[in-house]
Amino acid sequence: MNASLSWIKAYVPDLDVSAQEFTDAMTLSGSKVEGFRKMDADLERIVIGQIDKIERHPDADKLIVCQVDVGEEKPVQIVTGAPNVKEGDKVPVVLDGGRVAGTHDGKMTAGGLKIKKGKLRGIESNGMMCSIEELGSGRDMYPEAPEEGIYIFPADAKVGDDAVEALGLRDVAFEFEITSNRVDCYSILGLARETAATFHKSFNPPVVAVKGSGDDVNQYIQVEVKDMDLCPRYCARIVKNIRLAPSPAWMQRRLASVGIRPINNVVDITNYVMEEYGQPMHAYDLDTIAGHKIVVRRAADGEKFVTLDGQERTMDDSVLMICDGEKAVGLAGIMGGENSMITDQVHTMLFEAACFDGTNIRLSSKKIGLRTEASGKFEKGLDPDNALAAINRACQLIEELGAGEVVDGVVDVYKKEKMPVRIPFEPERINALLGTDIGKEQMLSYFKPLELVYDEAAGEIVVPSFRQDLLRPADIAEEVARFYGYDNIPTTLPKGEATTGKLPFYLRVEAVARDIAEFCGFSQGMSYSFESPKVFDKLMLPEDAPERNAIRILNPLGEDFSIMRTTSLNGMLTSLAFNYNHRNKDVRLYELGNIYLPKSLPLTELPDERMQFTLGMYGEGDFFTMKGVVEEFLDKIGMHEKETYDPKSGKPFLHPGRQANIFYGKTLIGYMGEVHPTVLNTYGIGERAYVVVLDMPTVVERATFDRKYEGIAKFPAVTRDLSMTVPKSVLAGQIEEVLTVRGGKILESYELFDVYEGSQIKEGCKSVAYSIRFRAKDRTLKEEEITAVMKKILNGLQSLGAELRQ
């Protein structure tokens, strides 16, 4: 957004700051200034002079010698080759020692060009008369300037006055970087309001009053909006007896200061109001509007339309059109049509000011490949209340400039009026949020120039419609911070409960999982959370398996990434297969990643995301290697109760005789086993592979890092060896459960040190031997105590079919 300081001062008349002061203050208050350009840079000692006498140069046919009155006692003699000057003309004159804008290859050069008195072909010249280009501008902004030659001032220009000032070049052009949520600042009035609030000055917007000339607007035009969702408001006014002429100098200068070329009074008024109010407008020749009716509707698929730039464009039904009773006359919010353009023969004009859906304008502009300044404003989402204010301002300027007669009334289609937002005003909460101690009245003083109204009875701030960014208390706090000054907010320490500076508990458990896995030779892997439904068949899961109830992705990258995974095995087996096919031996991988279990399908709430600790390996190692890793991990996180393994886990993707569910107490925490040969073949793994999957949320609930110190034992331990034969169906875990339960408090530890099957052992049985260690913490154990406990253990083992070996 571009704005000139003089235009802003028109509404903030007490403003007296330098360009740099303005830049710094506005940037700190939230209206970032990207940069500025002094329009009078490099222009020095330039005054209005009047040519009193012209004589031909005695030694040059194309030069003339001028005596120029510059308001001093004596006229200044200047030699020039300009072809367009005559006696009596008032021109800009650079005096001796002055400076003009320098150019090189048509571009401005820094520092300008210093003018010194000298001689041209032997005749003294004490200055220079200037063209508009030498004053740093051009005919685009000063259309009255000649194509070649010296700029000529109007006859009422005062000799000796500052020529730069008279041309409106004593000004600064600022470039603002406005964020998209501050639509109000895409206007001079919005920036002026921010300026007044920043510098604590009064804000004086134009007072709009339209006199009218009689008649009734409804006799001239009717408006029908068929798509109110895309056009919430449409305002139309009629101006008759149009008189086209150049706009006044003050308007031309303001438009030129923001880079808009003056054309004529009607076009300049629409551009002027667009910049002043931030509301794009459009004017139609009423005589070209069939049936004197405007219809706002969607285009038909394939509909063609010729815009003002002469290009034929093809629409679809998402593009909003402005139509008359027979045809389309404009692309809503983008550009008017060639068939309704304003020409020099216009007699009656239709003014349009509307509010269109910003998203639709942006998408339509992109589809048809046409982006204009108007569409750039509309696509940000304009204030519907601004449309009526802008069209009335345009009609006021029509009357003031004598460009036509405004018909009484306005056609205003606005069915769903936008209600103001009301936000609770809580000074204590604002101070707590900002870390300040600002009084209530001081806060309210910041709101007044911003037109934020305080409803004392309700304790609320009533937000004007143009501030679409203010929606909640935090936004009000930001307004206070902006104008109190971010640089004035004291530095404070964060407030809150004291913390130990540790990671959350679940992350500490996961960190131990990583450490144990890597200590045991596993490398971390990562796999996608998106998978293919074919995974379930590869893992040989039955049709009614709960894992098949997966969440489908609405916009998948493809079939292979169309569901959220419900098991982590596919990613692990895919990684093992990749390594196997690349001839990597003895591969060990682990992954900590989520699975996604829906609570219901279709989804009515977020799924249960459960972290899985997955281990996979092939090569050196076996089932018991993986079991050791599990036991080491559980021990490190404080799960000291003996975990148990149930071989009846029933996992179809694991070897039927080499798999187990892992229980901690009576809680299932995971499973492990050798991968089924058929699954290995499906994934292309040519040797035995083993996997472990632990459900981390279940593990974390039972983990603890609390440690209780126990001193060195003061009393001796007693060891007993127990060798027995048991049926092969009896598991070591069953024997150890008996030892634990019947060993009582004096049982310190036990260790399986021998398993034997051979001809010496009864058929269908195996020999197992344990070393059992007893110790009491408060006394030396007696033989009868140990004998009693051993008897209880033997009685328990007999229930398993155990027989002592002699």
Side-chain angles (χ1 to χ4, degrees):
M1 174 68 191
N2 296 326
S4 66
L5 187 59
S6 64
W7 202 344
I8 291 174
K9 281 184 176 180
Y11 310 123
V12 191
D14 298 332
L15 185 65
D16 184 18
V17 292
S18 68
Q20 191 60 54
E21 290 171 340
F22 182 86
T23 296
D24 294 341
M26 291 296 286
T27 299
L28 283 175
S29 69
S31 302
K32 183 182 179 183
V33 179
E34 280 286 289
F36 63 85
R37 176 178 64 88
K38 292 184 177 181
M39 298 171 68
D40 61 352
D42 306 327
L43 302 181
E44 299 175 6
R45 299 200 69 199
I46 305 175
V47 299
I48 299 174
Q50 180 172 313
I51 302 174
D52 291 338
K53 186 177 181 181
I54 296 178
E55 296 178 343
R56 290 196 173 277
H57 193 291
D59 294 326
D61 294 339
K62 295 185 179 181
L63 296 179
I64 56 175
V65 181
C66 303
Q67 304 298 323
V68 184
D69 179 7
V70 294
E72 298 178 356
E73 293 183 4
K74 294 183 179 181
V76 174
Q77 179 171 290
I78 297 175
V79 179
T80 181
N84 67 316
V85 294
K86 61 182 183 300
E87 292 181 356
D89 283 346
K90 294 180 179 178
V91 296
V93 176
V94 190
L95 301 177
D96 178 31
R99 194 178 297 272
V100 294
T103 59
H104 178 71
D105 292 335
K107 297 182 180 179
M108 305 297 295
T109 57
L113 180 65
K114 191 168 185 178
I115 301 302
K116 297 181 180 180
K117 65 180 180 180
K119 292 185 178 182
L120 287 176
R121 301 291 292 269
I123 301 297
E124 186 175 291
S125 182
N126 296 313
M128 184 179 80
M129 293 181 283
C130 304
S131 66
I132 196 65
E133 288 77 17
E134 289 163 328
L135 295 171
S137 190
R139 292 190 69 251
D140 281 349
M141 302 308 165
Y142 292 85
E144 73 277 13
E147 291 188 15
E148 295 182 2
I150 305 301
Y151 181 82
I152 309 296
F153 281 105
D156 59 356
K158 186 177 179 181
V159 173
D161 278 2
D162 185 346
V164 179
E165 179 73 29
L167 286 167
L169 292 175
R170 293 281 182 218
D171 204 353
V172 183
F174 293 95
E175 181 182 355
F176 289 87
E177 181 185 328
I178 306 299
T179 54
S180 57
N181 66 325
R182 289 303 306 273
V183 182
D184 58 302
C185 287
Y186 284 92
S187 66
I188 301 296
L189 285 178
L191 291 172
R193 187 183 295 108
E194 288 289 308
T195 300
T198 299
F199 292 97
H200 309 293
K201 304 293 184 181
S202 60
F203 172 54
N204 301 327
V207 178
V208 178
V210 182
K211 298 176 182 177
S213 61
D215 289 341
D216 181 3
V217 69
N218 294 297
Q219 297 176 355
Y220 286 81
I221 191 69
Q222 292 180 334
V223 176
E224 178 186 1
V225 179
K226 292 186 176 181
D227 292 279
M228 292 297 295
D229 58 325
L230 300 184
C231 179
R233 190 171 198 178
Y234 190 99
C235 300
R237 296 202 71 159
I238 299 296
V239 180
K240 60 183 181 179
N241 299 324
I242 296 296
R243 293 179 288 276
L244 295 179
S247 52
W250 63 267
M251 180 175 285
Q252 292 191 31
R253 300 299 172 257
R254 287 184 182 178
L255 290 174
S257 70
V258 295
I260 297 178
R261 180 172 62 91
I263 298 175
N264 59 49
N265 50 5
V266 171
V267 175
D268 291 352
I269 285 171
T270 60
N271 287 333
Y272 185 88
V273 174
M274 180 172 68
E275 294 300 314
E276 185 180 49
Y277 277 74
Q279 171 67 50
M281 299 181 60
H282 192 69
Y284 300 96
D285 186 340
L286 186 62
D287 293 333
T288 66
I289 303 299
H292 286 191
K293 181 178 181 179
I294 290 292
V295 179
V296 183
R297 62 163 175 83
R298 294 175 183 266
D301 276 330
E303 182 174 349
K304 298 185 182 299
F305 180 69
V306 179
T307 48
L308 275 172
D309 57 3
Q311 298 293 316
E312 183 180 77
R313 304 181 187 277
T314 304
M315 317 298 151
D316 62 24
D317 61 2
S318 68
V319 179
L320 193 65
M321 303 292 292
I322 308 298
C323 308
D324 61 17
E326 299 174 354
K327 61 187 181 300
V329 295
L331 291 176
I334 302 176
M335 184 178 281
E338 193 176 51
N339 55 9
S340 61
M341 64 186 296
I342 297 293
T343 65
D344 292 344
Q345 287 73 43
V346 64
H347 182 265
T348 306
M349 182 176 66
L350 166 65
F351 255 144
E352 167 195 281
C355 181
F356 301 112
D357 179 73
T359 302
N360 177 262
I361 296 299
R362 177 177 59 83
L363 294 175
S364 298
S365 179
K366 186 176 181 180
K367 283 179 181 177
I368 64 178
L370 176 62
R371 195 171 190 273
T372 61
E373 186 172 357
S375 69
K377 291 184 182 292
F378 275 120
E379 67 187 25
K380 294 174 175 64
L382 299 186
D383 172 22
D385 291 354
N386 197 37
L388 182 60
I391 201 169
N392 287 336
R393 172 62 166 163
C395 290
Q396 178 193 33
L397 291 171
I398 286 284
E399 291 180 337
E400 289 182 357
L401 272 56
E405 300 172 10
V406 180
V407 172
D408 288 350
V410 55
V411 176
D412 186 7
V413 181
Y414 191 21
K415 293 184 179 180
K416 188 176 180 181
E417 186 173 350
K418 184 178 180 181
M419 301 305 295
V421 174
R422 302 177 74 93
I423 302 175
F425 178 50
E426 302 166 314
E428 297 81 7
R429 184 179 175 186
I430 292 174
N431 279 322
L433 182 63
L434 299 180
T436 55
D437 186 20
I438 306 172
K440 175 181 176 180
E441 295 303 321
Q442 186 176 353
M443 291 184 187
L444 292 174
S445 71
Y446 299 146
F447 300 156
K448 186 175 180 181
L450 297 174
E451 300 181 35
L452 303 179
V453 179
Y454 177 49
D455 184 344
E456 189 169 2
E460 296 176 327
I461 299 295
V462 182
V463 180
S465 60
F466 57 80
R467 285 303 300 272
Q468 301 181 43
D469 60 310
L470 301 184
L471 302 171
R472 54 188 65 85
D475 298 329
I476 295 297
E478 183 183 9
E479 297 303 292
V480 173
R482 288 201 300 136
F483 297 107
Y484 177 71
Y486 291 111
D487 52 333
N488 294 324
I489 296 177
T491 301
T492 57
L493 292 173
K495 295 180 180 179
E497 297 180 1
T499 64
T500 60
K502 296 181 181 179
L503 289 172
F505 184 76
Y506 77 95
L507 289 180
R508 294 170 63 194
V509 175
E510 290 177 13
V512 173
R514 289 189 183 89
D515 290 343
I516 294 298
E518 291 169 7
F519 176 79
C520 294
F522 288 77
S523 299
Q524 185 171 13
M526 297 181 70
S527 53
Y528 291 116
S529 296
F530 304 156
E531 290 189 331
S532 168
K534 299 175 184 177
V535 165
F536 306 127
D537 294 330
K538 293 173 70 176
L539 295 175
M540 301 195 302
L541 290 170
E543 290 298 323
D544 59 349
E547 290 88 349
R548 288 184 179 269
N549 295 323
I551 302 165
R552 297 199 68 86
I553 300 168
L554 290 178
N555 55 341
L557 298 174
E559 179 66 16
D560 288 343
F561 302 95
S562 61
I563 62 169
M564 303 297 292
R565 67 178 178 179
T566 55
T567 174
S568 59
L569 272 186
N570 176 66
M572 178 57 67
L573 293 176
T574 300
S575 297
L576 291 177
F578 179 87
N579 281 274
Y580 180 82
N581 292 321
H582 283 76
R583 305 293 190 271
N584 292 329
K585 298 181 179 180
D586 300 326
V587 173
R588 298 186 178 191
L589 299 175
Y590 78 93
E591 180 187 9
L592 281 163
N594 285 338
I595 60 172
Y596 304 85
L597 306 178
K599 298 172 184 176
S600 63
L601 288 175
L603 285 178
T604 57
E605 56 183 318
L606 293 176
D608 185 12
E609 299 184 26
R610 302 190 69 83
M611 177 67 70
Q612 306 291 288
F613 180 28
T614 308
L615 299 160
M617 62 172 283
Y618 67 80
E620 185 178 350
D622 56 17
F623 181 95
F624 297 101
T625 304
M626 298 294 264
K627 183 171 177 284
V629 178
V630 173
E631 293 173 348
E632 180 75 12
F633 168 58
L634 297 180
D635 182 65
K636 287 293 183 181
I637 59 174
M639 296 173 66
H640 300 306
E641 292 183 24
K642 188 66 176 177
E643 69 278 358
T644 58
Y645 300 85
D646 180 7
K648 299 176 182 178
S649 58
K651 306 294 184 189
F653 43 80
L654 297 179
H655 193 292
R658 298 166 189 162
Q659 60 174 282
N661 279 336
I662 306 171
F663 285 87
Y664 187 73
K666 294 184 179 181
T667 304
L668 178 65
I669 61 173
Y671 60 88
M672 63 176 295
E674 181 182 326
V675 181
H676 197 288
T678 303
V679 175
L680 289 174
N681 185 59
T682 300
Y683 280 90
I685 302 173
E687 59 180 283
R688 291 183 176 183
Y690 303 89
V691 294
V692 172
V693 178
L694 294 177
D695 185 55
M696 290 300 285
T698 307
V699 170
V700 169
E701 288 178 5
R702 291 155 181 80
T704 177
F705 290 110
D706 294 338
R707 299 290 185 265
K708 185 177 180 181
Y709 172 73
E710 294 184 1
I712 298 174
K714 297 179 180 180
F715 300 94
V718 177
T719 302
R720 293 285 187 270
D721 289 343
L722 184 61
S723 179
M724 71 196 92
T725 60
V726 295
K728 289 184 178 180
S729 61
V730 175
L731 303 177
Q734 293 174 279
I735 298 172
E736 291 169 3
E737 184 178 3
V738 172
L739 296 177
T740 302
V741 171
R742 295 184 174 246
K745 293 182 179 180
I746 65 171
L747 177 67
E748 184 177 74
S749 64
Y750 52 80
E751 181 182 357
L752 175 66
F753 66 87
D754 183 61
V755 178
Y756 175 72
E757 295 180 22
S759 58
Q760 299 90 340
I761 305 300
K762 184 169 57 174
E763 187 176 350
C765 293
K766 61 184 175 182
S767 171
V768 294
Y770 278 88
S771 177
I772 307 174
R773 190 180 184 91
F774 300 99
R775 191 197 305 265
K777 296 181 180 180
D778 56 352
R779 68 188 186 280
T780 300
L781 292 174
K782 297 179 180 180
E783 181 64 29
E784 54 266 27
E785 293 180 276
I786 298 171
T787 301
V789 171
M790 284 297 296
K791 187 176 181 178
K792 291 172 64 177
I793 290 174
L794 291 173
N795 290 337
L797 292 174
Q798 286 176 0
S799 65
L800 298 177
E803 297 178 4
L804 287 178
R805 293 188 66 186
Q806 301 299 323

